[in-house]
Amino acid sequence: MKLLLHTCCAPCSVYVIKYLRESNVEPTLYWYNPNIHPYTEYKNRKETLEKYAEMIGIKAIFQDEYGLKEFIKNTVNDIENRCVNYCYRIRLESTVKYAKENGYDAFSTTLLVSIYQKHDEIKKIAEELSKKYGIKFFYHDFRDGYREGQAKARELGLYMQKYCGCVYSEEERYLKK
């Protein structure tokens, strides 16, 4: 199976890639995350994924599109629902389109490993896009490997972000303390 794996960051990809490889699936990583802000955070995450991909010898495609203005324009009137209505959807749709246009059999996302994301919503959006574009959604609940992947990422010295990615989640990080 030729699988395109939307990848939000290197730490979240560690367990997912391990699982896929153990299942005899060699994914191609796909970076498209215009929801990550500020630019320094976006750059750190992208560069960490580039280094990790090289370190483990995996193909990675980078759609380098920093998108603060588009993000704000598309979320400012519905901040509470931004993850479902914008962040998940825009990244998954870009992944599905790329997969379809470039001969992949299926797509998936490392967002499915996070214990902090809205797992059922991500799955629902991916299934909807799978039907819309006529390409298989490879679903697996990777959350059981979240802690293992994070521990391995720390062991490897990968940059570990402290919030989901957008400016609103960064604010929430500090307000919760």
Side-chain angles (χ1 to χ4, degrees):
M1 172 181 7
K2 191 174 174 188
L3 177 74
L4 188 64
L5 180 65
H6 168 263
T7 309
C8 59
C9 63
C12 285
S13 73
V14 172
Y15 177 78
V16 176
I17 294 167
K18 176 183 178 250
Y19 175 90
L20 291 170
R21 284 179 162 175
E22 287 174 353
S23 301
N24 295 315
V25 175
E26 181 64 17
T28 297
L29 307 183
Y30 182 76
W31 167 269
Y32 179 72
N33 296 291
N35 62 307
I36 298 172
H37 313 289
Y39 181 73
T40 52
E41 183 71 20
Y42 175 89
K43 186 177 175 207
N44 280 339
R45 293 185 194 195
K46 179 179 173 280
E47 288 175 354
T48 301
L49 183 62
E50 288 170 335
K51 289 175 190 169
Y52 183 60
E54 186 176 322
M55 181 188 309
I56 64 169
I58 196 166
K59 182 179 178 185
I61 297 159
F62 292 88
Q63 297 291 350
D64 192 6
E65 186 179 311
Y66 179 70
L68 179 60
K69 290 176 185 173
E70 278 299 307
F71 172 80
I72 297 296
K73 184 173 80 175
N74 285 284
T75 59
V76 71
N77 293 318
D78 193 17
I79 293 169
E80 296 307 312
N81 296 304
R82 69 191 180 273
C83 302
V84 174
N85 292 337
Y86 185 74
C87 293
Y88 299 153
R89 185 167 299 281
I90 191 168
R91 294 183 289 168
L92 290 174
E93 188 147 19
S94 178
T95 305
V96 173
K97 284 180 182 177
Y98 189 94
K100 182 73 174 177
E101 292 168 2
N102 290 278
Y104 286 85
D105 302 314
F107 73 97
S108 194
T109 178
T110 60
L111 292 168
L112 295 169
V113 77
S114 177
I115 59 175
Y116 300 106
Q117 299 297 328
K118 297 173 183 168
H119 188 93
D120 292 338
E121 294 292 338
I122 294 164
K123 182 181 178 197
K124 181 179 169 185
I125 292 167
E127 288 170 343
E128 173 192 315
L129 292 170
S130 171
K131 287 178 188 162
K132 179 180 177 180
Y133 288 94
I135 187 167
K136 183 181 176 194
F137 167 48
F138 178 94
Y139 174 73
H140 181 79
D141 186 346
F142 297 107
R143 290 177 290 185
D144 61 335
Y146 177 77
R147 301 259 184 244
E148 176 188 331
Q150 295 295 295
K152 183 67 175 174
R154 281 186 190 82
E155 180 186 310
L156 293 170
L158 300 179
Y159 170 72
M160 305 287 290
Q161 61 271 14
K162 306 290 188 255
Y163 60 97
C164 179
C166 78
V167 292
Y168 305 120
S169 66
E170 182 186 29
E171 178 187 49
E172 289 167 357
R173 169 190 173 217
Y174 288 108
L175 292 179
K176 286 181 182 177
K177 288 187 175 182

